Amino acid sequence: MMQTVCIIDDDEAVRESTGLLLSLCGYSVEGYETIRQFLGAHPQRDNAVILLDQHLPQQTGLEFLESDEGRPFLPRAVLMTGQGNSKLRERALQDGVAGYLEKPIDVDRLMEIFGHLASQASPAQIRT
Amino acid sequence: MPTGAAPPSKLLATEEMLRSVLDTVPDGMVVIDDRGLIHSFSATAAKQFGYTEAEVMGCNVSILMPEPHRTQHDAYIERYLQTGERRIIGVGRVVVGRRKDGSTFPIELAVGEVKIGGKTYFTGFIRDLTERQDRERRLQELQSELIHVSRLTELGQMVAALAHEVNQPLAAIKNFLAAATRLIASGHVDEARQLQQKAGEQAERAVEIIRGLRQLVRKGDRAIETVPVAKLLDEAVGLALVGASRHSAAVSLAVDPAVTDTVVDKVQIQQVIINLIRNAIEAMADCPVRRLAITAKPDRDGMIAITVADTGPGLPEAVRSRLFQPFVTTKEHGMGVGLSICRSIVESHGGAMLAESTPGAGTTFRFTIPGPGHAGHGAETSQPQSCPAAS
């Protein structure tokens, strides 16, 4: 079955371009502007992996992942940020995100992370 | 003060106490008689002037002052004794003292008069102002430094915000192009072309962000004032070298005598200079000869030309032609935004900025700022900006 990737980013161009690239790489892609929209579409917390922007208007990506609502998504979430710093990275990895990437994201690294997630071959986090 | 008869031991103790008090007050004290001869010279005074008490006892107090007072001082006393006209007694003023080694220093002098047994004595209290003047100067330096630091911090924050803003279209461009590459590889050239188009739109978006930033620099609150060019450059050089190692470069500053004032936002123009100096020092880091020459000369139309010339490696031709465009940098960790902002600042003052560079022989940045007679100084310019991705 084709792996689904949910992109949550309020920047339309980032969402569209990342989605295009991932679909060309064989993923089924869904784009969401906000966390609310995403939660509305995935109430049962299925197996989709999520690619989440840190800088979102109402709540940061990491805040969501640390909340009760977001915690179940942590092992399948890749956090991406355009204003990265070592503190954020440390915190995200400590929380147990599947991956942490700085924008512009390295597509090969992303594929690697998704590959690991899909196969569940290695439960270890991918650190970049 | 004790009155009446006191036992000799107590008198002695009082005198000792008085002496120790006088020795510890920060002001020096000198007592002279009506002929100007020194009768008492406190320990502080000895420290201030470099003489011991023994050396100056009985000497004319004029040895403690430079000319013309040195030869005039006896006449000053004479005139006072005859006319009673007070010029310094009870008034206090800032004068210049002369040390034993001939050096001079600013002092605040307060003179009092006492009559003991029918004889007139004058007491002089001397406060060394050197330290205070240093402190005040340092304070002023710190203040101007602070203004710069806060402005630079502002700029830093602006650049950080800008970095994030620009990162979004850049991320999109990267993805669109990566997707286009994959499409081309699988023979879908038309679809790839569409993505290239989309990448171009995102590049345009990045350009818009930079344009907005330039306008911010242009429209920002500016404090236009008349400043001596020499002072402006002097301060900027000092600030640029803050934190730079002492041996980082030999800096020379030459202001043409015909150059007087400029009418600018001082902090903005100083930032341009600081930026150029720091760039130059960084560029020369690996060069055997590290000389930095800053000059100010009159230019056409009442403008003043400022040059900042280094002996660094020079600029590669590819960089030189695009130098003032945002995101062009030769620095490993540079953003390439600094020079673009510098040029915007100069242009907003009605000036122009250009770079001349000979590979291997160094780089000279030259920009103009309005002199006092320049008409329409500080006028807002609104000429279209050239943008790399738009052209």
Side-chain angles (χ1 to χ4, degrees):
Chain A
M1 189 189 134
M2 202 186 260
Q3 175 74 50
T4 300
V5 178
C6 298
I7 301 171
I8 309 169
D9 195 313
D10 62 332
D11 191 296
E12 194 194 333
V14 170
R15 216 165 53 234
E16 188 194 350
S17 62
T18 314
L20 257 165
L21 190 54
L22 287 174
S23 59
L24 281 173
C25 294
Y27 290 88
S28 158
V29 179
E30 297 172 13
Y32 299 98
E33 203 177 330
T34 64
I35 290 167
R36 292 290 126 215
Q37 277 182 13
F38 162 73
L39 287 175
H42 291 260
Q44 72 277 44
R45 291 164 191 171
D46 51 29
N47 252 346
V49 295
I50 63 172
L51 182 57
L52 178 67
D53 185 30
Q54 164 70 359
H55 306 276
L56 293 168
Q58 277 119 25
Q59 191 181 24
T60 71
L62 197 57
E63 272 168 17
F64 165 66
L65 291 175
E66 288 174 349
S67 70
D68 288 342
E69 255 180 327
R71 207 169 296 120
F73 295 98
L74 256 174
R76 288 177 286 131
V78 175
L79 191 70
M80 53 179 180
T81 172
Q83 263 181 318
N85 58 63
S86 53
K87 265 188 197 155
L88 180 70
R89 182 174 173 276
E90 274 311 304
R91 201 174 121 191
L93 292 175
Q94 233 159 40
D95 285 346
V97 293
Y100 170 91
L101 292 174
E102 294 202 355
K103 287 186 192 173
I105 53 172
D106 183 333
V107 178
D108 294 337
R109 295 292 297 149
L110 189 62
M111 295 299 145
E112 208 179 309
I113 296 169
F114 285 167
H116 276 281
L117 281 175
S119 66
Q120 293 294 325
S122 161
Q125 287 176 8
I126 308 289
R127 292 166 181 252
T128 56
Chain B
M1 292 295 279
T3 52
S9 64
K10 186 138 190 186
L11 258 181
L12 204 64
T14 308
E15 198 187 311
E16 258 173 27
M17 197 167 78
L18 193 65
R19 178 106 200 157
S20 75
V21 166
L22 285 174
D23 282 351
T24 48
V25 290
D27 290 8
M29 193 192 74
V30 178
V31 179
I32 59 170
D33 62 20
D34 56 2
R35 289 177 298 156
L37 305 182
I38 296 173
H39 279 244
S40 169
F41 197 70
S42 77
T44 307
K47 216 182 293 167
Q48 289 170 336
F49 288 93
Y51 288 106
T52 63
E53 187 179 12
E55 277 178 300
V56 295
M57 264 325 199
C59 290
N60 194 301
V61 73
S62 64
I63 60 165
L64 302 179
M65 48 195 91
E67 294 294 355
H69 306 293
R70 202 177 173 92
T71 47
Q72 296 284 310
H73 194 257
D74 285 349
Y76 295 161
I77 300 177
E78 191 86 352
R79 189 186 53 223
Y80 171 67
L81 292 173
Q82 276 170 9
T83 66
E85 183 196 334
R86 296 181 159 199
R87 296 213 176 168
I88 191 160
I89 295 163
V91 181
R93 61 160 83 148
V94 175
V95 295
V96 177
R98 185 181 189 273
R99 297 194 190 93
K100 185 182 178 183
D101 64 8
S103 61
T104 56
F105 62 112
I107 59 178
E108 192 173 4
L109 178 65
V111 179
E113 182 184 3
V114 273
K115 284 203 163 63
I116 301 168
K119 270 198 96 170
T120 301
Y121 293 90
F122 301 102
T123 51
F125 285 92
I126 297 137
R127 179 163 297 173
D128 189 338
L129 295 180
T130 317
E131 208 178 304
R132 190 194 292 180
Q133 286 190 339
D134 276 354
R135 213 180 299 145
E136 275 165 13
R137 193 167 53 224
R138 182 75 200 122
L139 204 67
Q140 279 177 351
E141 280 172 9
L142 278 175
Q143 273 169 347
S144 67
E145 223 168 273
L146 271 178
I147 294 169
H148 274 278
V149 168
S150 68
R151 287 272 198 117
L152 285 173
T153 309
E154 241 169 66
L155 198 67
Q157 283 166 350
M158 212 153 79
V159 169
L162 171 86
H164 180 241
E165 281 307 305
V166 172
N167 228 340
Q168 301 283 43
L170 288 184
I173 289 168
K174 197 179 169 205
N175 291 340
F176 278 132
L177 292 180
T181 304
R182 279 168 195 267
L183 283 172
I184 290 168
S186 60
H188 299 84
V189 178
D190 284 345
E191 288 94 330
R193 207 165 279 144
Q194 281 177 16
L195 296 194
Q196 285 176 336
Q197 177 81 25
K198 282 178 187 288
E201 285 163 14
Q202 290 304 308
E204 193 61 51
R205 180 181 158 200
V207 167
E208 279 305 320
I209 293 165
I210 299 297
R211 188 175 289 149
L213 176 83
R214 284 184 164 180
Q215 254 146 26
L216 203 70
V217 174
R218 181 160 298 137
K219 284 178 189 160
D221 290 335
R222 293 193 311 171
I224 299 291
E225 55 180 325
T226 302
V227 209
V229 173
K231 183 177 176 228
L232 179 120
L233 292 177
D234 214 33
E235 283 179 6
V237 171
L239 287 165
L241 298 179
V242 169
S245 101
R246 187 174 289 271
H247 306 291
S248 53
V251 182
S252 68
L253 173 60
V255 179
D256 189 295
V259 169
T260 54
D261 295 339
T262 181
V263 187
V264 292
D265 180 317
K266 184 176 136 188
V267 172
Q268 279 196 356
I269 293 299
Q270 284 184 328
Q271 264 174 359
V272 171
I273 298 160
I274 289 168
N275 205 321
L276 293 178
I277 292 175
R278 290 200 171 152
N279 278 353
I281 288 177
E282 209 171 304
M284 292 190 291
D286 297 327
C287 299
V289 179
R290 295 187 296 276
R291 276 201 304 269
L292 183 64
I294 298 144
T295 67
K297 288 180 183 139
D299 203 58
R300 281 172 303 173
D301 306 325
M303 299 290 282
I304 296 158
I306 310 285
T307 61
V308 176
D310 69 40
T311 55
L315 297 164
E317 175 56 39
V319 171
R320 204 187 323 161
S321 57
R322 299 181 301 131
L323 194 60
F324 296 102
Q325 294 170 359
F327 306 118
V328 173
T329 182
T330 58
K331 297 181 191 175
E332 206 173 328
H333 302 291
M335 285 279 297
V337 177
L339 280 179
S340 169
I341 294 173
C342 283
R343 191 181 66 170
S344 297
I345 291 174
V346 169
E347 283 174 354
S348 75
H349 284 81
M353 186 170 196
L354 55 90
E356 292 151 11
S357 181
T358 314
T363 305
T364 299
F365 280 92
R366 185 177 183 281
F367 67 94
T368 50
I369 48 175
H374 178 78
H377 50 70
E380 297 293 321
T381 53
S382 56
Q383 71 262 45
Q385 299 289 308
S386 63
C387 295
S391 56

